[in-house]
Amino acid sequence: MRRAIIHIGMPRTGSTSFQTLLATLRPRLAGIGLLYPELALPGAHAGADVNHQPLGEALDGRRPRAERAPSLERLSDALRATDADTVILSYEDFAVQKPRFRVPATLREVFARRGFAMETAMVVKPPFEQLNSAYAHRAQLVVEPRDFRAFGRAHWHSGRFDYAGLIAPWRTACGGRVTAIPLRDARSPAPLMERIFRDLRLWERVSPLLGEPDVTFVTNRSPGPLAVEASRRLRAMRVHRQVGSHSRAIGHVLDGAAWSRGLDPEPIRGDAPEVKERMENHFARTSDAFARDLWGTAWSRVVEDAPAKPPNELAARPISRDEEERVDLLMRETVRHFGFRALPAWKRAPAYLAERGVAAVERIVGDSRWRVR
């Protein structure tokens, strides 16, 4: 049977770089027997086909139920029309599906009907780093008013960091055909993009299409400490309720304002050593089980930690006058760009409390995006 490779994440592990590279190569992939299908529904925004998020969201309940069947039909049609022997789907939140949506089993059935055997690919990094990346991503979405320590204390035990648990339903659906790639591999100095294609046994085919910039390509930088602090303050001002588009647009402007001035050269590193220790202890067993199952050795022998650097989060310490002025600069430019208005405290506080209440109820009933099982 032909191969159907589902790249399921994790989020913030080079997924956007991998997707952008495949989308750029898309016109030439047919010549080497690969398909990276365009599956966005008609009328979707420009760039919706860089990844397969529209399909993923239609399957995991984030989009109207009416989109599910047409999305699957578009996938089925693409499989029927292609001569490629290998198809690749990529959506980083495939990794955190809730069981009731049966996403792995549903995709397996569609692929099997078209003569494809499904397999899964997953890129991973240490759980505490994944927590830090999640915090940075929430800052880019302007949804996080808490400092990193408060965020970490609330979510350190989330099933999102139990890689063995996350891969289990995909492993079952794929009949054990799973490839795990560490973000940084202690066994190899090769760039991530090269290692992904090598581990998927596609390097010999894809490499003739790639130049050196492609192999080392990196996009979707994480925000730095200035932009994150500005995001926290803008969230407290509730500007996310005043933007007409997705709140990620605010994060784009914040990041652009910082990077265009040479600010925030390094990503945010949260300050919560006790959370790091707690996570390392809590997930040591499941991470090791994941590693031994998929690599045949201990986690520490394969997954290399990020270089040790001190935290640079501004919320965790007194801010210098220079830093305060830079945060204020980013906020003023963002407010001016969107024309935001400062709401009085008597309007902000009730809405903030209401949002917290909704989030608490979601966690209790199991509908929170942070609860995966």
Side-chain angles (χ1 to χ4, degrees):
M1 294 182 75
R2 296 185 284 176
R3 302 173 68 192
I5 301 169
I6 316 300
H7 169 236
I8 68 170
M10 291 289 291
R12 315 299 285 191
T13 57
S15 298
T16 304
S17 300
F18 182 58
Q19 294 158 355
T20 303
L21 184 56
L22 285 170
T24 301
L25 295 175
R26 186 179 271 138
R28 304 167 65 192
L29 293 179
I32 59 172
L34 300 183
L35 172 69
Y36 188 61
E38 297 177 271
L39 301 177
L41 293 173
H45 65 84
D49 270 316
V50 170
N51 59 27
H52 298 109
Q53 181 174 343
L55 170 66
E57 290 187 344
L59 295 180
D60 69 13
R62 302 187 198 193
R63 289 177 179 260
R65 185 183 294 270
E67 291 189 19
R68 184 181 177 95
S71 296
L72 289 172
E73 188 61 30
R74 284 177 66 83
L75 173 59
S76 182
D77 289 346
L79 298 177
R80 181 180 61 245
T82 187
D83 292 325
D85 59 51
T86 302
V87 60
I88 302 174
L89 296 188
S90 180
Y91 169 47
E92 49 267 44
D93 271 359
F94 272 143
V96 291
Q97 298 302 304
K98 295 180 175 69
R100 68 177 181 272
F101 293 115
R102 298 185 65 253
V103 175
T106 298
L107 288 175
R108 178 195 61 207
E109 292 161 7
V110 173
F111 285 120
R113 286 199 297 270
R114 297 300 180 191
F116 287 83
M118 192 171 79
E119 55 190 86
T120 301
M122 185 181 195
V123 181
V124 296
K125 62 185 177 185
F128 181 74
E129 289 181 40
Q130 193 68 52
L131 177 75
N132 193 96
S133 293
Y135 181 73
H137 181 55
R138 288 173 66 82
Q140 286 182 315
L141 297 176
V142 196
V143 298
E144 190 52 69
R146 295 169 292 188
D147 62 18
F148 178 72
R149 174 171 277 110
F151 172 76
R153 286 175 174 172
H155 296 295
W156 68 269
H157 57 295
S158 170
R160 284 177 173 256
F161 312 115
D162 175 6
Y163 302 134
L166 293 178
I167 204 72
W170 291 95
R171 187 182 183 92
T172 298
C174 292
R177 293 179 293 275
V178 175
T179 300
I181 305 107
L183 181 66
R184 292 175 304 275
D185 196 328
R187 306 163 300 179
S188 170
L192 176 62
M193 294 301 108
E194 177 180 340
R195 288 190 287 105
I196 290 176
F197 286 118
R198 283 192 183 280
D199 287 356
L200 293 177
R201 307 190 308 280
L202 296 174
W203 179 248
E204 297 303 322
R205 285 203 235 177
V206 175
S207 58
L209 305 182
L210 303 176
E212 179 63 24
D214 299 315
V215 176
T216 57
F217 177 68
V218 176
T219 189
N220 196 20
R221 289 171 58 186
S222 289
L226 294 170
V228 169
E229 182 61 20
S231 172
R232 289 196 327 110
R233 298 182 187 187
L234 288 172
R235 175 68 185 198
M237 290 170 56
R238 304 197 60 72
V239 301
H240 61 291
R241 292 298 188 187
Q242 300 179 45
V243 66
S245 57
H246 195 284
S247 62
R248 181 66 179 89
I250 306 175
H252 280 308
V253 172
L254 270 177
D255 290 338
W259 295 335
S260 66
R261 292 174 169 84
L263 305 176
D264 277 348
E266 294 193 342
I268 181 75
R269 293 188 297 274
D271 187 9
E274 76 284 4
V275 174
K276 182 175 187 291
E277 181 179 8
R278 187 179 300 169
M279 290 188 74
E280 288 175 347
N281 292 335
H282 182 77
F283 290 107
R285 181 183 56 80
T286 56
S287 294
D288 215 46
F290 176 89
R292 293 189 183 281
D293 194 24
L294 297 175
W295 297 315
T297 189
W299 173 272
S300 61
R301 295 175 66 89
V302 178
V303 181
E304 190 173 279
D305 291 339
K309 293 183 179 181
N312 59 9
E313 179 187 10
L314 298 183
R317 58 176 173 80
I319 300 178
S320 71
R321 181 176 178 179
D322 223 24
E323 291 167 330
E324 190 67 55
E325 289 176 351
R326 290 174 177 177
V327 171
D328 185 60
L329 171 66
L330 300 186
M331 292 179 65
R332 282 190 283 107
E333 180 162 323
T334 304
V335 167
R336 182 171 59 251
H337 178 91
F338 290 100
F340 292 140
R341 305 181 313 278
L343 299 179
W346 67 269
K347 283 189 176 182
R348 298 198 304 264
Y352 173 67
L353 293 173
E355 284 183 353
R356 289 190 63 182
V358 169
V361 171
E362 287 178 342
R363 287 195 297 272
I364 293 170
V365 302
D367 282 335
S368 169
R369 289 191 182 186
W370 269 91
R371 178 168 293 187
V372 298
R373 66 180 192 281

